[in-house]
Amino acid sequence: MQLQEQAALVTGGASGLGAEVVRQLARAGARVTILDINLELAQTLANEVGAHAVACDITSSDSVQQALRSASEAHGPARILINCAGIGGARRLVGKDGQAMPLDDFSRVINVNLIGTFNMIRLTATGMIAQEAMADGERGVIINTASVAAYDGQIGQAAYAASKGGLTSLTLPLARDLAQFGVRVMTIAPGLFLTPLLYQLPEEVQQSLAASIPFPKRLGKAEEFAQLALHIVGNLSLNGEVIRLDGALRLPPR
């Protein structure tokens, strides 16, 4: 799919990996809508790159539907959805105090990362399949953000790894569901990337994390994530697959 003049949605697009995706999409000529729970931050970026900003809670069907209406009014129906919204959180199943992890801690991460992403996909896909097919019968492309934790979940990452593992497992069945309509579904599983969360860590901790990556021996750059996302949009044969973007990293237990 050519990016020029295509309507694109980026969830979690106000910061981190999502913000760089927004910047690169805008530079490529796409008409971008930033969907983020932090509207002020989203609007600041939108002003910078000429995008449209909408407040959106991906776990709420009403919020997503309102955001999609706003995006469609601004740029027309979306053919590109890139899901970067998500949360972290680390907690052992049984803590040092002998207490079980609260069920709400697990549910919160699953609700945002897995159910919220699915909610965004299901509501956006209905608009994609209603559009006229382009060259080769394509109508749209959906890209999700998982994590290498889906495969190498560390101690304390039960909720996070389960949520990202769910996204990896969703990729193929959703691609098969939407293939008849010419909509592709892909997932990127990044490793250790220099996001705002890691920026807050001391320099020595960042260097220690980088040293664990076989090559390149540095933390991933948001630009590299965005470059892959844009390549997926343009490469029609990429469908139903999860791509690890991790420099051959395999996470240790802790």
Side-chain angles (χ1 to χ4, degrees), residues 8 22 46 53 56 64 68 72 86 114 142-143 145 155 159 161 165 172-173 175 191 196-197 199 211 220 237 248 251:
V22 167
C56 182
V64 170
L68 291 178
S72 183
L114 180 56
I142 297 167
I143 302 172
T145 304
I155 291 171
L172 183 57
L197 179 63
Y199 270 122
S237 289
L251 296 174

Side-chain angles (χ1 to χ4, degrees), residues 192-213 216-220:
L192 297 174
F193 271 68
L194 198 53
T195 60
L197 179 63
L198 289 188
Y199 270 122
Q200 296 173 13
L201 298 178
E203 180 64 28
E204 60 270 22
V205 175
Q206 293 184 29
Q207 292 177 0
S208 175
L209 291 172
S212 68
I213 302 172
K217 297 196 77 65
R218 58 164 173 76
L219 297 174

